[in-house]
Amino acid sequence: MGKPVFRFAPSPNGELHLGHALSALTGLEMARRLGGRFLLRIEDIDLARARPEHVEAILEDLAWLGLTWEEPVLRQSEHFPVYREAAARLDRLGLVYPCFMTRAELAAALSARPQAADPDGAPRIARHETGLAPQEAAARMASGQPFALRLDMTRALAVLRDRPGGGELSFAEIDADGTTRRIAARPARWGDAVIVRKDVPASYHLAVVVDDARQGVTHVTRGLDLYAATDLHRLLQLLLGLPEPVYHHHRLITDASGRKLSKSARDTSLRALRATGATPREIRRLTGFG
Ligand code: GLU
Protein backbone atom coordinates (compact mmCIF):
# COMPACT_ATOMS: atom_id res chain seq x y z
CA MET A 1 0.00 0.00 0.00
CA GLY A 2 1.22 3.49 -0.84
CA LYS A 3 1.30 6.38 1.59
CA PRO A 4 -1.98 8.05 2.52
CA VAL A 5 -2.64 11.20 0.49
CA PHE A 6 -4.28 14.31 1.97
CA ARG A 7 -5.19 17.60 0.35
CA PHE A 8 -6.35 21.12 1.05
CA ALA A 9 -8.59 22.48 -1.73
CA PRO A 10 -9.47 26.16 -1.31
CA SER A 11 -11.51 28.17 -3.81
CA PRO A 12 -9.72 31.46 -4.58
CA ASN A 13 -12.81 33.62 -4.28
CA GLY A 14 -11.53 35.75 -1.41
CA GLU A 15 -9.04 35.88 1.42
CA LEU A 16 -8.28 32.85 3.54
CA HIS A 17 -9.73 33.10 7.05
CA LEU A 18 -9.38 31.14 10.27
CA GLY A 19 -11.73 28.43 8.96
CA HIS A 20 -9.37 27.77 6.06
CA ALA A 21 -6.40 27.71 8.42
CA LEU A 22 -8.20 25.08 10.50
CA SER A 23 -8.93 23.03 7.38
CA ALA A 24 -5.40 23.23 6.02
CA LEU A 25 -3.80 22.47 9.39
CA THR A 26 -6.19 19.54 9.99
CA GLY A 27 -5.14 17.96 6.69
CA LEU A 28 -1.46 18.62 7.22
CA GLU A 29 -1.42 17.36 10.82
CA MET A 30 -3.30 14.18 9.94
CA ALA A 31 -0.96 13.60 7.02
CA ARG A 32 2.06 14.01 9.32
CA ARG A 33 0.58 11.68 11.92
CA LEU A 34 -0.13 8.97 9.35
CA GLY A 35 3.11 9.47 7.43
CA GLY A 36 1.14 10.69 4.44
CA ARG A 37 1.59 13.15 1.58
CA PHE A 38 -0.06 16.56 1.49
CA LEU A 39 -1.30 18.22 -1.70
CA LEU A 40 -2.75 21.62 -2.48
CA ARG A 41 -5.46 22.07 -5.10
CA ILE A 42 -6.84 25.39 -6.26
CA GLU A 43 -10.56 25.00 -6.96
CA ASP A 44 -10.95 27.84 -9.42
CA ILE A 45 -13.62 26.60 -11.82
CA ASP A 46 -15.80 29.59 -10.96
CA LEU A 47 -14.19 31.86 -13.53
CA ALA A 48 -16.36 34.83 -12.58
CA ARG A 49 -15.24 34.76 -8.95
CA ALA A 50 -11.78 33.18 -8.89
CA ARG A 51 -9.00 35.78 -9.11
CA PRO A 52 -5.27 35.21 -9.79
CA GLU A 53 -4.40 37.63 -6.98
CA HIS A 54 -6.38 35.46 -4.56
CA VAL A 55 -4.39 32.41 -5.68
CA GLU A 56 -1.13 34.25 -5.02
CA ALA A 57 -2.41 35.40 -1.62
CA ILE A 58 -3.47 31.84 -0.70
CA LEU A 59 -0.04 30.43 -1.51
CA GLU A 60 1.61 33.21 0.43
CA ASP A 61 -0.68 32.90 3.48
CA LEU A 62 -0.21 29.14 3.65
CA ALA A 63 3.56 29.42 3.39
CA TRP A 64 3.52 32.12 6.11
CA LEU A 65 1.50 29.74 8.28
CA GLY A 66 4.31 27.22 7.86
CA LEU A 67 2.58 24.78 5.53
CA THR A 68 4.44 22.84 2.89
CA TRP A 69 2.89 20.90 0.05
CA GLU A 70 3.95 18.92 -2.96
CA GLU A 71 4.39 20.60 -6.33
CA PRO A 72 2.84 21.02 -8.78
CA VAL A 73 -0.28 22.61 -7.35
CA LEU A 74 -3.29 21.46 -9.36
CA ARG A 75 -5.43 24.32 -10.67
CA GLN A 76 -8.82 23.09 -11.75
CA SER A 77 -9.29 25.80 -14.39
CA GLU A 78 -6.42 24.20 -16.35
CA HIS A 79 -8.17 20.82 -16.55
CA PHE A 80 -11.61 21.42 -18.04
CA PRO A 81 -11.19 18.61 -20.63
CA VAL A 82 -10.86 16.08 -17.80
CA TYR A 83 -14.20 17.14 -16.29
CA ARG A 84 -15.78 17.21 -19.76
CA GLU A 85 -14.73 13.60 -20.22
CA ALA A 86 -16.23 12.55 -16.86
CA ALA A 87 -19.50 14.29 -17.75
CA ALA A 88 -19.46 12.57 -21.14
CA ARG A 89 -19.08 9.25 -19.37
CA LEU A 90 -22.20 9.93 -17.29
CA ASP A 91 -23.93 11.00 -20.48
CA ARG A 92 -23.03 7.74 -22.23
CA LEU A 93 -24.58 5.93 -19.26
CA GLY A 94 -27.78 7.95 -19.83
CA LEU A 95 -27.48 9.56 -16.40
CA VAL A 96 -27.45 13.26 -17.27
CA TYR A 97 -29.81 15.57 -19.15
CA PRO A 98 -29.70 19.19 -20.25
CA CYS A 99 -31.54 21.75 -18.13
CA PHE A 100 -32.24 25.19 -19.58
CA MET A 101 -33.86 26.65 -16.46
CA THR A 102 -32.90 30.25 -15.79
CA ARG A 103 -32.06 31.75 -12.40
CA ALA A 104 -35.53 33.29 -12.30
CA GLU A 105 -37.19 29.93 -13.02
CA LEU A 106 -35.11 28.25 -10.34
CA ALA A 107 -36.02 30.97 -7.83
CA ALA A 108 -39.70 30.53 -8.74
CA ALA A 109 -39.42 26.75 -8.29
CA LEU A 110 -37.94 27.31 -4.84
CA SER A 111 -40.57 29.77 -3.69
CA ALA A 112 -43.33 27.45 -4.96
CA ARG A 113 -41.91 24.56 -2.91
CA PRO A 114 -39.54 25.91 -0.25
CA GLN A 115 -39.68 22.57 1.56
CA ALA A 116 -38.07 20.93 -1.49
CA ALA A 117 -34.64 22.53 -1.16
CA ASP A 118 -31.39 20.62 -1.44
CA PRO A 119 -28.82 20.84 1.40
CA ASP A 120 -27.35 23.98 -0.21
CA GLY A 121 -30.76 25.68 -0.31
CA ALA A 122 -31.19 25.34 -4.09
CA PRO A 123 -34.45 23.87 -5.40
CA ARG A 124 -34.47 20.09 -5.59
CA ILE A 125 -35.24 19.45 -9.24
CA ALA A 126 -36.65 16.28 -10.82
CA ARG A 127 -36.36 15.50 -14.51
CA HIS A 128 -40.08 15.33 -15.15
CA GLU A 129 -40.38 18.99 -14.07
CA THR A 130 -37.64 20.37 -16.22
CA GLY A 131 -36.57 17.78 -18.76
CA LEU A 132 -37.69 18.55 -22.29
CA ALA A 133 -38.63 16.15 -25.05
CA PRO A 134 -35.41 15.21 -26.87
CA GLN A 135 -36.35 17.20 -30.01
CA GLU A 136 -37.12 20.34 -28.04
CA ALA A 137 -33.84 20.02 -26.10
CA ALA A 138 -31.91 19.47 -29.35
CA ALA A 139 -33.56 22.51 -30.94
CA ARG A 140 -32.67 24.72 -27.99
CA MET A 141 -29.09 23.45 -27.97
CA ALA A 142 -28.83 24.11 -31.71
CA SER A 143 -30.05 27.65 -31.15
CA GLY A 144 -27.20 28.19 -28.67
CA GLN A 145 -29.34 28.49 -25.55
CA PRO A 146 -27.11 27.84 -22.51
CA PHE A 147 -27.84 24.73 -20.47
CA ALA A 148 -26.58 22.91 -17.42
CA LEU A 149 -26.30 19.13 -17.20
CA ARG A 150 -28.15 17.56 -14.30
CA LEU A 151 -27.75 14.09 -12.87
CA ASP A 152 -30.93 12.05 -13.31
CA MET A 153 -31.15 10.99 -9.66
CA THR A 154 -33.88 8.40 -10.25
CA ARG A 155 -31.77 6.61 -12.86
CA ALA A 156 -28.59 7.01 -10.81
CA LEU A 157 -30.28 5.39 -7.81
CA ALA A 158 -31.51 2.58 -10.08
CA VAL A 159 -27.88 1.92 -11.11
CA LEU A 160 -27.00 1.84 -7.43
CA ARG A 161 -29.84 -0.60 -6.66
CA ASP A 162 -28.94 -2.93 -9.51
CA ARG A 163 -25.30 -3.38 -8.62
CA PRO A 164 -24.18 -6.46 -6.68
CA GLY A 165 -24.68 -5.72 -3.00
CA GLY A 166 -27.81 -3.65 -3.56
CA GLY A 167 -28.75 -0.05 -3.05
CA GLU A 168 -26.99 0.83 0.18
CA LEU A 169 -24.57 3.72 -0.08
CA SER A 170 -22.31 4.87 2.72
CA PHE A 171 -19.00 6.56 3.37
CA ALA A 172 -16.27 6.07 5.94
CA GLU A 173 -15.81 8.94 8.40
CA ILE A 174 -12.59 8.90 10.39
CA ASP A 175 -12.52 10.82 13.66
CA ALA A 176 -9.51 12.79 14.86
CA ASP A 177 -8.62 9.86 17.18
CA GLY A 178 -8.55 7.46 14.23
CA THR A 179 -11.89 5.71 14.88
CA THR A 180 -13.72 5.01 11.64
CA ARG A 181 -17.51 4.78 11.31
CA ARG A 182 -19.66 4.07 8.27
CA ILE A 183 -22.23 6.77 7.64
CA ALA A 184 -25.34 6.08 5.54
CA ALA A 185 -25.43 8.37 2.50
CA ARG A 186 -28.70 9.89 1.27
CA PRO A 187 -27.89 11.35 -2.15
CA ALA A 188 -31.59 11.66 -3.08
CA ARG A 189 -31.82 14.79 -0.95
CA TRP A 190 -29.82 16.56 -3.67
CA GLY A 191 -32.42 15.85 -6.35
CA ASP A 192 -31.10 16.11 -9.91
CA ALA A 193 -27.89 17.90 -8.91
CA VAL A 194 -26.06 20.09 -11.41
CA ILE A 195 -23.06 18.16 -12.74
CA VAL A 196 -22.00 20.65 -15.39
CA ARG A 197 -22.79 24.32 -14.93
CA LYS A 198 -24.08 26.59 -17.65
CA ASP A 199 -20.95 28.74 -17.67
CA VAL A 200 -18.16 26.20 -17.12
CA PRO A 201 -17.78 22.53 -18.14
CA ALA A 202 -17.91 21.21 -14.56
CA SER A 203 -19.53 21.77 -11.20
CA TYR A 204 -17.89 21.65 -7.79
CA HIS A 205 -19.32 18.16 -7.18
CA LEU A 206 -17.99 16.70 -10.43
CA ALA A 207 -14.57 18.38 -10.27
CA VAL A 208 -13.95 17.42 -6.65
CA VAL A 209 -14.59 13.69 -7.13
CA VAL A 210 -12.64 13.56 -10.39
CA ASP A 211 -9.64 15.35 -8.89
CA ASP A 212 -9.60 13.49 -5.58
CA ALA A 213 -9.43 10.30 -7.63
CA ARG A 214 -6.79 11.37 -10.14
CA GLN A 215 -4.61 12.88 -7.44
CA GLY A 216 -4.86 9.61 -5.52
CA VAL A 217 -6.37 11.32 -2.46
CA THR A 218 -7.08 8.68 0.18
CA HIS A 219 -8.21 11.05 2.98
CA VAL A 220 -10.54 13.97 2.30
CA THR A 221 -10.33 16.44 5.20
CA ARG A 222 -12.74 19.36 5.02
CA GLY A 223 -15.32 21.27 7.05
CA LEU A 224 -18.66 19.96 8.26
CA ASP A 225 -20.32 22.39 5.85
CA LEU A 226 -19.56 19.80 3.15
CA TYR A 227 -20.85 16.79 5.10
CA ALA A 228 -24.10 16.52 3.11
CA ALA A 229 -22.22 16.91 -0.18
CA THR A 230 -20.34 13.70 0.62
CA ASP A 231 -23.55 11.73 -0.07
CA LEU A 232 -23.54 13.00 -3.63
CA HIS A 233 -19.79 12.56 -3.97
CA ARG A 234 -20.02 8.88 -3.00
CA LEU A 235 -22.74 8.37 -5.60
CA LEU A 236 -20.66 10.05 -8.31
CA GLN A 237 -17.60 7.99 -7.36
CA LEU A 238 -19.65 4.85 -7.75
CA LEU A 239 -21.16 5.88 -11.10
CA LEU A 240 -17.76 6.92 -12.47
CA GLY A 241 -15.96 3.85 -11.12
CA LEU A 242 -13.66 5.94 -8.91
CA PRO A 243 -12.01 4.72 -5.70
CA GLU A 244 -13.55 5.60 -2.34
CA PRO A 245 -11.55 7.88 -0.04
CA VAL A 246 -11.99 8.12 3.71
CA TYR A 247 -13.53 11.38 4.99
CA HIS A 248 -12.83 13.56 7.98
CA HIS A 249 -15.22 16.50 8.39
CA HIS A 250 -13.89 18.93 10.97
CA ARG A 251 -15.81 21.39 13.15
CA LEU A 252 -16.45 24.87 11.79
CA ILE A 253 -15.19 28.09 13.27
CA THR A 254 -18.09 30.45 13.80
CA ASP A 255 -18.29 34.19 14.37
CA ALA A 256 -19.67 35.84 17.51
CA SER A 257 -23.24 35.30 16.30
CA GLY A 258 -22.65 31.60 15.66
CA ARG A 259 -22.49 31.88 11.87
CA LYS A 260 -19.90 30.09 9.78
CA LEU A 261 -17.07 32.42 8.75
CA SER A 262 -17.29 33.61 5.18
CA LYS A 263 -14.70 34.97 2.81
CA SER A 264 -16.19 38.41 3.22
CA ALA A 265 -15.60 38.29 6.99
CA ARG A 266 -12.56 40.52 6.72
CA ASP A 267 -11.83 40.67 10.43
CA THR A 268 -10.91 36.99 10.62
CA SER A 269 -8.96 36.90 7.37
CA LEU A 270 -5.41 35.67 7.91
CA ARG A 271 -4.13 38.87 6.26
CA ALA A 272 -6.10 41.08 8.64
CA LEU A 273 -4.92 39.11 11.67
CA ARG A 274 -1.37 39.23 10.41
CA ALA A 275 -1.60 42.99 9.86
CA THR A 276 -2.55 43.42 13.51
CA GLY A 277 0.55 41.48 14.53
CA ALA A 278 -0.73 37.89 14.85
CA THR A 279 1.98 35.27 14.41
CA PRO A 280 1.58 31.85 12.77
CA ARG A 281 1.79 30.37 16.26
CA GLU A 282 -1.20 32.47 17.35
CA ILE A 283 -3.19 31.39 14.31
CA ARG A 284 -2.47 27.78 15.24
CA ARG A 285 -3.64 28.46 18.78
CA LEU A 286 -6.82 30.23 17.57
CA THR A 287 -7.67 27.19 15.45
CA GLY A 288 -7.03 24.79 18.32
CA PHE A 289 -3.64 23.50 17.15
CA GLY A 290 -1.75 25.13 20.04
N1 GLU B 1 -13.16 24.27 -2.59
C1 GLU B 1 -14.05 24.00 -1.50
C2 GLU B 1 -14.14 25.21 -0.59
O1 GLU B 1 -13.25 26.05 -0.59
C3 GLU B 1 -13.61 22.82 -0.65
C4 GLU B 1 -13.75 21.55 -1.38
C5 GLU B 1 -13.43 20.30 -0.58
O2 GLU B 1 -12.61 20.32 0.34
O3 GLU B 1 -13.97 19.27 -0.96
O4 GLU B 1 -15.11 25.32 0.13
Side-chain angles (χ1 to χ4, degrees), residues 45-48 147 197-202:
I45 62 163
D46 191 337
L47 300 176
F147 61 90
R197 293 165 36 151
K198 271 186 184 174
D199 53 343
V200 283

Side-chain angles (χ1 to χ4, degrees), residues 7 9-11 20 41 43 204 208 212 220-222 225-226 233 263:
R7 52 56 162 194
S11 306
H20 296 103
R41 179 166 79 227
E43 301 214 319
Y204 157 65
V208 80
D212 281 336
V220 173
T221 53
R222 60 187 180 193
D225 52 334
L226 291 167
H233 298 176
K263 294 209 166 100

Side-chain angles (χ1 to χ4, degrees), residues 25 152 238 267 269:
L25 288 167
D152 185 323
L238 192 123
D267 48 340
S269 88

Side-chain angles (χ1 to χ4, degrees), residues 167-284:
E168 294 302 313
L169 188 69
S170 63
F171 62 89
E173 176 79 15
I174 183 166
D175 291 337
D177 68 2
T179 322
T180 306
R181 296 166 289 145
R182 288 226 63 100
I183 309 287
R186 293 180 290 129
R189 58 181 158 156
W190 287 95
D192 291 359
V194 172
I195 293 302
V196 173
R197 293 165 36 151
K198 271 186 184 174
D199 53 343
V200 283
S203 68
Y204 157 65
H205 300 299
L206 182 67
V208 80
V209 297
V210 166
D211 283 342
D212 281 336
R214 70 201 182 98
Q215 291 192 289
V217 172
T218 57
H219 291 67
V220 173
T221 53
R222 60 187 180 193
L224 273 167
D225 52 334
L226 291 167
Y227 196 67
T230 305
D231 295 5
L232 184 56
H233 298 176
R234 273 300 296 134
L235 180 61
L236 290 174
Q237 284 155 1
L238 192 123
L239 298 172
L240 289 165
L242 303 175
E244 175 190 357
V246 173
Y247 289 87
H248 172 69
H249 293 92
H250 59 73
R251 71 190 162 81
L252 299 176
I253 297 183
T254 50
D255 63 15
S257 56
R259 274 192 300 266
K260 184 189 137 196
L261 298 183
S262 75
K263 294 209 166 100
S264 50
R266 279 277 148 80
D267 48 340
T268 61
S269 88
L270 299 184
R271 307 224 130 193
L273 292 165
R274 192 172 156 187
T276 60
T279 61
R281 182 188 281 264
E282 273 157 340
I283 303 291
R284 291 178 71 91

